[in-house]
């Protein structure tokens, strides 16, 4: 079973700070990497996708991918209380038939 | 904005009963999925469906599970004889394509097996 690992948290950051969320994956041939946000009792909502090494920025969010280290991260700048949620890392590739393999998620708490 | 619609939002059933969970994917999407999330655990892949047939399924998706696209809009998941451990939130999702394509999730059906 190919694994996607995340620190469960909770990660607590003050409002306005940068939140850094990390994810490692074990399947070396993984091709696509996604960050989903999930509020309690709700469905996952896609916030970022990244496919090649380096950084990808979208508003306050930056995804970073390092395939050599099998590591993907999400930075949230100027964190807001509304960012408080569980952030799910998801990975797919040919070994999974392109089905998404999710990590257990990191709980983020942004305190006012 | 188009969205994936799931019904019912909650389903309570007795162990051994059959349940059908319903989904209406986004209209121009071609790939359909079922995932589930047991309380406190990770989101798990069950099955993907394309061109009226299953394209991938996980070990969870055993003979008790089946999927169907009975018409041009609905996508259903049937559990023939529910077990206590089938209690979970079931998410339907759809995407335009596969590989690098992004999944859009429905709001889920909370299944409780008593």
């Amino acid at each position: 079973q190919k694994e996607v690992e995340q620190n469960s948290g909770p990660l607590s950051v003050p409002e306005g700070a940068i939140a850094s969320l990390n994810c490692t994956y074990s399947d070396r041939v993984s091709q696509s990497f996604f960050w989903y946000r999930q509020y309690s009792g709700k469905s996952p909502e896609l916030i970022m996708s990244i496919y090649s090494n380096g950084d990808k920025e979208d508003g306050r969010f930056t995804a970073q991918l390092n395939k050599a280290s099998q590591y993907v991260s999400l930075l949230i700048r100027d964190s807001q209380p509304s960012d408080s949620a569980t952030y799910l890392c998801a990975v797919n590739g040919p070994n999974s038939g392109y089905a998404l393999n999710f990590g257990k998620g990191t709980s983020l708490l942004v305190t006012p | 904005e188009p969205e994936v619609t799931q019904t019912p939002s909650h389903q309570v059933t007795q162990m051994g009963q059959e349940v059908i969970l319903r989904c209406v994917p986004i209209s121009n999407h071609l790939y359909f999925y079922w995932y589930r999330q047991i309380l406190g655990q990770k989101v798990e892949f069950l099955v993907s469906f394309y061109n009226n047939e299953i394209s991938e399924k996980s070990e969870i998706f055993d003979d008790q599970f089946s999927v169907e696209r009975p018409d041009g809009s609905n996508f259903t998941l049937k559990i023939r004889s529910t077990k206590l451990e089938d209690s979970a939130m079931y998410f339907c999702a759809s995407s335009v394509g596969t590989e690098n394509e992004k999944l859009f999730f429905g709001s889920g059906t909370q299944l409780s097996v008593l």
Side-chain angles (χ1 to χ4, degrees):
Chain A
Q1 172 70 17
K2 302 298 183 180
E3 297 296 332
V4 177
E5 301 287 346
Q6 295 181 256
N7 188 323
S8 61
L11 172 67
S12 183
V13 300
E15 184 174 356
I18 295 175
S20 177
L21 305 162
N22 304 314
C23 171
T24 59
Y25 58 94
S26 62
D27 188 354
R28 193 165 280 282
V29 300
S30 297
Q31 293 182 355
S32 306
F33 308 86
F34 304 88
W35 283 99
Y36 283 83
R37 177 174 61 200
Q38 187 176 32
Y39 293 111
S40 181
K42 303 295 186 183
S43 59
E45 174 193 9
L46 180 69
I47 53 173
M48 288 288 290
S49 59
I50 187 166
Y51 308 108
S52 54
N53 282 329
D55 294 1
K56 179 182 177 183
E57 187 174 316
D58 183 1
R60 295 186 296 114
F61 299 98
T62 298
Q64 300 173 316
L65 175 61
N66 183 327
K67 289 188 178 181
S69 300
Q70 295 175 232
Y71 177 93
V72 58
S73 65
L74 179 71
L75 300 177
I76 306 174
R77 288 181 299 282
D78 187 25
S79 297
Q80 301 297 310
S82 58
D83 295 326
S84 298
T86 297
Y87 289 80
L88 310 179
C89 174
V91 173
N92 75 4
N95 287 341
S96 68
Y98 298 101
L100 284 180
N101 188 6
F102 283 87
K104 293 183 76 171
T106 297
S107 175
L108 173 66
L109 177 63
V110 181
T111 55
Chain B
E1 184 176 331
E3 60 181 21
V4 176
T5 305
Q6 288 187 245
T7 55
S9 57
H10 293 84
Q11 175 87 51
V12 180
T13 190
Q14 295 292 323
M15 189 171 55
Q17 295 297 303
E18 175 183 287
V19 294
I20 297 176
L21 310 183
R22 291 184 165 79
C23 170
V24 178
I26 295 174
S27 61
N28 65 330
H29 286 188
L30 301 177
Y31 292 81
F32 315 119
Y33 311 84
W34 285 100
Y35 286 78
R36 78 173 186 188
Q37 187 174 30
I38 295 171
L39 185 64
Q41 298 189 25
K42 69 174 186 176
V43 177
E44 300 175 290
F45 169 73
L46 294 179
V47 65
S48 59
F49 192 85
Y50 169 71
N51 200 26
N52 284 319
E53 61 182 26
I54 290 173
S55 51
E56 294 289 337
K57 61 181 181 178
S58 71
E59 292 177 354
I60 302 168
F61 194 89
D62 61 20
D63 292 345
Q64 293 299 313
F65 291 87
S66 62
V67 289
E68 192 176 39
R69 187 156 164 83
D71 53 42
S73 59
N74 290 286
F75 179 52
T76 62
L77 174 69
K78 181 191 290 185
I79 309 175
R80 287 190 185 82
S81 178
T82 50
K83 308 181 186 70
L84 296 176
E85 55 265 36
D86 293 328
S87 295
M89 178 74 90
Y90 287 80
F91 294 111
C92 175
S94 68
S95 64
V96 173
T98 186
E99 296 188 31
N100 298 334
E101 292 296 330
K102 302 155 191 175
L103 267 62
F104 292 83
F105 284 82
S107 55
T109 294
Q110 179 64 56
L111 176 65
S112 298
V113 182
L114 306 178

